[in-house]
């Protein structure tokens, strides 16, 4: 296993060169890059920029564990928007290959692109709900999502890559059970999960059980902690997740990928155009050291 970090908590918007330098300086071996939208994919990740970023990562001793992107339109009722999403996936795969990773990631979509409420607002809400349009055909929506994933996987496989879909509350994939249901319909060996316990834990899943159920379909991990009431992203050890049990589960299923520490609800994390401050770096160090110490008695070797 390798320890890594994503660029966005260091620097939300590009350019990301300095964020990569900071990640390497903290001793991480892997990094994640992101394209928040189609404009960023086209305007920032130009062919020249891809070459520059890949050369910089090589110089820093970093591997790109996955390339993260958006997937807007994946569950749109409009066929034209779904087609635009497929075209976007083709561009994402092209950029990912040029950057030197074998894995792409998107957050799982909500049914019908419904504006599901952000779970972090739950503690201050009196009634937790959303307005559902009348007449939604839920069976048709599910079948269209499955068909989209089949088409996405054809694009991903043609590019020689893997797709690590990320579970999220209220989405078509929110935990191990929903991921396994999707795999029943789309059993491509290139389809797996970016397992994020800060998303599955508040959905009622014990993360270690989720890992055992998913096994080799765990392609990549985002690690952060919370108290299972919201999907907050604290440093491991601050919340209620049993990290020793989770790391043991990854060991037992033979996971050999990247554990990327994704902290978002900590002091001085990047916001908007403001880069992360020294307190954020200290949170990252504490998270790194906690995971390394916790895994010492488990026989886990970190590359």
């Amino acid at each position: 296993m390798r320890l890594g970090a994503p660029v966005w908590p260091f620097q939300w918007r590009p350019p990301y060169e300095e964020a990569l330098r900071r990640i390497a300086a903290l001793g991480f071996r892997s990094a994640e890059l992101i394209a928040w939208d189609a404009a960023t994919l086209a305007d920032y990740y130009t062919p020249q920029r891809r070459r520059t970023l890949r050369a910089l990562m090589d110089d820093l001793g970093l591997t790109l564990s996955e390339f993260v992107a958006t997937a807007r339109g994946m569950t749109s009722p409009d066929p034209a928007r779904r087609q635009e999403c497929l075209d976007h996936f083709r561009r994402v795969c092209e950029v990912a290959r040029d950057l030197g990773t074998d894995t792409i990631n998107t957050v799982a979509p909500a049914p019908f692109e419904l504006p599901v409420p952000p779970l972090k607002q739950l503690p201050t809400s009196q009634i937790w709900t959303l307005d559902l349009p009348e007449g939604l055909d839920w069976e048709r929506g599910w079948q269209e999502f499955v068909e989209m994933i089949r088409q996405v996987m054809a694009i991903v496989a043609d590019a020689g890559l893997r797709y690590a879909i990320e579970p999220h509350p209220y989405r078509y994939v929110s935990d191990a059970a929903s991921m396994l249901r999707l795999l029943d319909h789309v059993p491509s060996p290139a389809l797996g999960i970016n397992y994020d316990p800060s998303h599955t834990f508040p959905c009622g899943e014990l993360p270690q059980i989720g890992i055992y159920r998913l096994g080799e379909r765990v392609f990549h991990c985002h690690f952060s902690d919370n108290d299972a009431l919201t999907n907050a992203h604290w440093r491991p050890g601050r919340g209620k997740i049993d990290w020793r049990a989770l790391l043991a589960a990854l060991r037992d299923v033979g996971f050999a990928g990247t554990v990327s520490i994704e902290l978002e609800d900590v002091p001085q994390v990047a916001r908007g155009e403001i880069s992360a401050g020294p307190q954020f770096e200290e949170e990252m160090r504490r998270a790194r050291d906690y995971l390394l110490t916790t895994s010492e008695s488990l026989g886990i070797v970190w590359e």
Side-chain angles (χ1 to χ4, degrees), residues 285-298:
R285 290 189 191 94
R286 293 180 69 180
R288 176 200 63 201
D289 293 348
Y290 176 85
L291 291 173
L292 292 174
T293 300
T294 303
S295 63
E296 281 180 358
S297 63
L298 296 173

Side-chain angles (χ1 to χ4, degrees), residues 148-183:
M148 276 294 291
I149 295 296
R150 289 193 181 111
Q151 294 182 64
V152 166
M153 294 317 302
I155 294 168
V156 170
D158 185 61
L161 302 177
R162 307 185 305 172
Y163 177 30
I165 195 166
E166 183 165 342
H168 207 284
Y170 314 128
R171 312 300 178 99
Y172 270 127
V173 176
S174 59
D175 56 11
S178 50
M179 182 68 204
L180 291 169
R181 184 190 183 204
L182 178 61
L183 287 166

